[in-house]
């Protein structure tokens, strides 16, 4: 049964063209219904899969009684379309030779196309596979479709290993750094700047915070064989109210990206030690994820890909799988540095090679 | 000829009550017409004065052929009314015993009342007197009614000495500090904070600016016998665009209040030397004014007041008189620290004593 108006996807066409077809269904976060409908209809046509829909997320599972089960996961949504006139990273997609331009080209319609191509063509994989397509990845974590599945359909998500098809340029990227944010606040006493000695300058009081951050040497930490480069930065600062008033408040917003050898609490302790003596509030955090390469399934997967694994720096949903006790890595077509850009694009061969590597491993 | 609706002022009543009557005419900058009309009508009734009106500024002069001529000047406008409910520093005024509350109580309806009382009652002063009442003091310098008089009625403003009746708690305050503002800018390179090493942090780059300002020891400089206390402050800072982006720009706004031994150019050179190596733009400045106490008229005036003169820290229009070659001081009722506050008030006796001191000197 195909709802009226649902886009019909041919999952057996060239995976790069399938990517373009997915990109042409605009699916900015909160507007995933159309693409979720198209994906659901296409998957329900495949008799070897059990399909479950929850909101605009879809889970499709093989049940072949294999020894191992792996998750292949990707999000259906994109960030908003570019606002710069003439940007090519928009909807609909466009081809320039073998390069595919448009919103979602790297993040991550190519990965989703690879998932769908595998779902359609790999009827007898060597491991049971759970395909997950989910909504609301590019917005606040509380809205995540994957988070909702974890809460409401946990029984569908058991697995020995997970692959998230986020763009990694076709290399296995293991785990991810954690991220934690603080606001460090200095307080003073307002006064007219003509009589500055009657006040206390909160911006001057923030000088040591910036100095300690500027001279901090971030570590590179080896976790399960991969080197995680950390960073610690002031990302925003604001203080002062008027040109003739001694400022009574200055707030420095700080972001620490920490290696997955630490919990968020340990990361917090580290920053608090560095900025001892300053008023500091933790405003946000996400745990990192260990690379998961010591899982048995991971070793054979890395071998099938045939490239040296790298650490992942950006936070991804592998952390969410990791929290569930499922070792997980990132592996997908396209350059993560192009994600969200006005110039988002991917080479057709990158998508085809990603599909080929996964097929080698699972066939 | 009294324009219909003009408030009739009795200039011979107790000067504190006259102050209240002036305060009850709301005269926030740009709305000085009603008070200027009332002042003009009252002054035109005095046959010993020549009265000139220019916009909402009024000049009234004796012409007795005295050896010396002094200016008594004050502005008619106030800052906006308080917005905090229940504030007493508003319009109309109110009495609490001998204390008069309301907008303009200290800045500077008391001083204007003293001017008007002297204008009305001192028909044969020992020095010729030029009374100046002007508009738009509390806003951008280009709008100043006194500046307009200097440009358009310069011939009315010749004098040997000037007294500005800004609040000084009844003490002669000489000259004023100059003020100069800069924006110091640091630039970096934006990058995702997960890959901070691909960017350069502009906020971190501003650390030495804040550190140099924080450790700067401002001087106190003796000018013509008065000690001027300087100050140098970051008054605002802002940098960064988002919690996950390495900031590519940070701007520190700096205010230097410098003693009147320096020109603005010398003050600028001093700050540029301190912050050498940083991109800096001068955004605003006003020259200071030397105290003017070495003028012959000043000495007799200080003796009549009978208190040790003090330096003035805030910038006032004595700098404008000083630029015209007229030595000038501040002398008026009320506490300058209450000016612009929600709690603006003045003691009736402060106004009466100010009037008495000027009468002693001029009668």
């Amino acid at each position: 049964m195909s709802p009226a108006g649902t886009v019909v996807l041919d999952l057996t066409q060239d995976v790069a063209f399938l990517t373009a077809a997915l990109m042409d269904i605009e699916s900015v976060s909160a507007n995933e219904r159309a693409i979720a409908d198209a994906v659901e209809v296409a998957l329900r046509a495949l008799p070897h899969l059990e399909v479950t829909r929850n909101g605009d997320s879809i889970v499709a599972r093989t049940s072949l009684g294999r020894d191992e089960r792996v998750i292949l996961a990707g999000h259906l949504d994109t960030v908003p379309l570019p606002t710069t006139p003439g940007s090519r990273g928009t909807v609909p997609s466009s081809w320039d030779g073998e390069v595919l331009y448009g919103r979602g080209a790297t993040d991550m319609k190519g990965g989703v196309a690879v998932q769908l191509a595998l779902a359609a063509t790999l009827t007898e994989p060597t491991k049971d596979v759970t395909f997950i397509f989910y909504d609301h990845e590019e917005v606040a974590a509380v809205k995540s479709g994957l988070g909702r599945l974890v809460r409401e359909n946990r029984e569908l998500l058991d697995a020995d290993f997970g692959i998230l098809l986020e763009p990694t340029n076709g290399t296995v990227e293991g785990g991810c750094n954690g991220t934690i944010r603080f606001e460090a606040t200095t307080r003073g006493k307002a006064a007219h700047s003509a009589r500055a000695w009657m006040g206390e300058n909160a911006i001057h009081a923030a000088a040591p915070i910036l100095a300690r951050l500027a001279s901090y040497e971030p570590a590179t930490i080896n976790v399960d064989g991969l080197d995680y480069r950390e960073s610690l930065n002031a990302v925003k600062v604001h203080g002062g109210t008027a040109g003739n008033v001694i400022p009574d408040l200055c707030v420095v917003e700080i972001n620490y990206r920490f290696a997955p050898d630490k919990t968020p609490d340990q990361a917090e302790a580290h920053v608090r030690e560095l900025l001892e003596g300053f008023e500091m509030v933790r405003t946000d955090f996400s745990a990192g994820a260990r690379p998961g390469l010591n899982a048995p399934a991971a070793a054979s997967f890395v071998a099938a890909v045939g490239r040296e694994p790298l650490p992942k720096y950006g936070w991804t949903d592998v952390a969410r799988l990791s929290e569930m006790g499922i070792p997980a890595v990132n592996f997908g077509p396209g350059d993560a540095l192009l994600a969200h850009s006005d110039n988002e694009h991917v080479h057709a061969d990158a998508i085809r090679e990603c599909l080929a590597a996964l097929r080698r491993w699972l066939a």
Side-chain angles (χ1 to χ4, degrees), chain A:
Chain A
M1 190 187 73
S2 162
T6 298
V7 177
V8 176
L9 295 171
D10 171 8
L11 305 189
T12 61
Q13 67 182 313
D14 176 279
V15 70
F17 293 127
L18 177 56
T19 302
L22 292 167
M23 288 163 65
D24 292 344
I25 308 172
E26 188 261 281
S27 57
V28 173
S29 308
N31 194 29
E32 298 96 335
R33 179 168 302 261
I35 194 167
D37 286 348
V39 167
E40 182 187 5
V41 166
L43 292 172
R44 287 206 189 273
L46 302 169
H48 66 289
L49 295 175
E50 287 164 25
V51 177
T52 305
R53 177 154 176 174
N54 177 329
D56 290 330
S57 290
I58 296 145
V59 180
R61 296 158 47 99
T62 63
S63 294
L64 302 166
R66 305 294 193 224
D67 290 345
E68 285 183 311
R69 175 176 288 278
V70 299
I71 285 174
L72 299 183
H75 60 84
L76 296 172
D77 59 326
T78 71
V79 293
L81 306 189
T83 53
T84 312
S87 297
R88 301 193 64 179
T90 188
V91 172
S93 61
S94 60
W95 286 99
D96 186 350
E98 281 289 288
V99 179
L100 177 57
Y101 282 82
R103 181 54 84 224
T106 54
D107 192 7
M108 54 170 284
K109 298 287 175 78
V112 170
V114 169
Q115 290 177 269
L116 290 171
L118 289 168
T121 58
L122 210 63
T123 52
E124 300 239 326
T126 56
K127 304 167 207 305
D128 270 311
V129 182
T130 303
F131 297 96
I132 304 175
F133 305 87
Y134 58 102
D135 56 287
H136 284 92
E137 192 269 354
E138 297 288 8
V139 288
V142 295
K143 296 191 175 177
S144 162
L146 184 54
R148 195 177 61 247
L149 288 173
V150 172
R151 288 191 303 275
E152 301 176 5
N153 299 92
R154 180 66 185 80
E155 74 287 356
L156 300 177
L157 306 185
D158 276 328
D160 302 292
F161 183 56
I163 297 171
L164 192 63
L165 283 95
E166 291 272 4
T168 62
N169 266 332
T171 298
V172 177
E173 292 188 351
C176 66
N177 272 338
T179 177
I180 188 166
R181 285 195 184 81
F182 303 91
E183 282 184 0
T185 299
T186 51
R187 297 175 195 278
K189 189 180 155 202
H192 197 292
S193 66
R195 299 175 204 88
W197 51 90
M198 300 187 66
E200 287 167 43
N201 193 314
I203 295 177
H204 293 190
I209 295 176
L210 298 194
R212 289 185 211 172
L213 292 173
S215 65
Y216 178 82
E217 306 242 355
T220 294
I221 294 172
N222 191 285
V223 182
D224 299 344
L226 295 183
D227 281 336
Y228 287 84
R229 191 164 172 181
E230 297 194 332
S231 62
L232 176 61
N233 281 276
V235 285
K236 287 195 212 170
V237 61
H238 60 95
T241 55
N244 58 357
V245 175
I246 300 303
D248 61 353
L249 192 73
C250 184
V251 178
V252 183
E253 192 176 318
I254 295 161
N255 185 208
Y256 179 34
R257 301 281 176 152
F258 55 95
D261 66 323
K262 292 180 203 65
T263 65
D265 284 348
Q266 290 169 327
E268 176 169 348
H270 181 67
V271 179
R272 285 195 181 278
E273 188 180 7
L274 180 75
L275 296 179
E276 205 185 334
F278 289 97
E279 178 184 335
M280 221 166 69
V281 174
R282 181 170 86 176
T283 55
D284 186 27
F285 74 97
S286 297
R290 298 183 74 98
L293 296 176
N294 35 10
S300 65
F301 175 55
V302 168
V305 171
R307 291 204 210 173
E308 189 70 18
L310 294 173
K312 182 80 173 168
Y313 288 115
W315 190 92
T316 75
D317 271 315
V318 299
R320 216 180 281 273
L321 297 176
S322 177
E323 259 185 86
M324 293 163 61
I326 303 171
V329 299
N330 302 277
F331 174 71
D335 183 345
L337 296 180
L338 294 172
H340 306 190
S341 81
D342 286 2
N343 185 36
E344 193 172 349
H345 63 264
V346 66
H347 197 287
D349 283 343
I351 310 171
R352 294 174 189 137
E353 284 161 20
C354 174
L355 174 61
L358 282 163
R359 190 172 275 149
R360 274 196 299 281
W361 183 51
L362 290 170

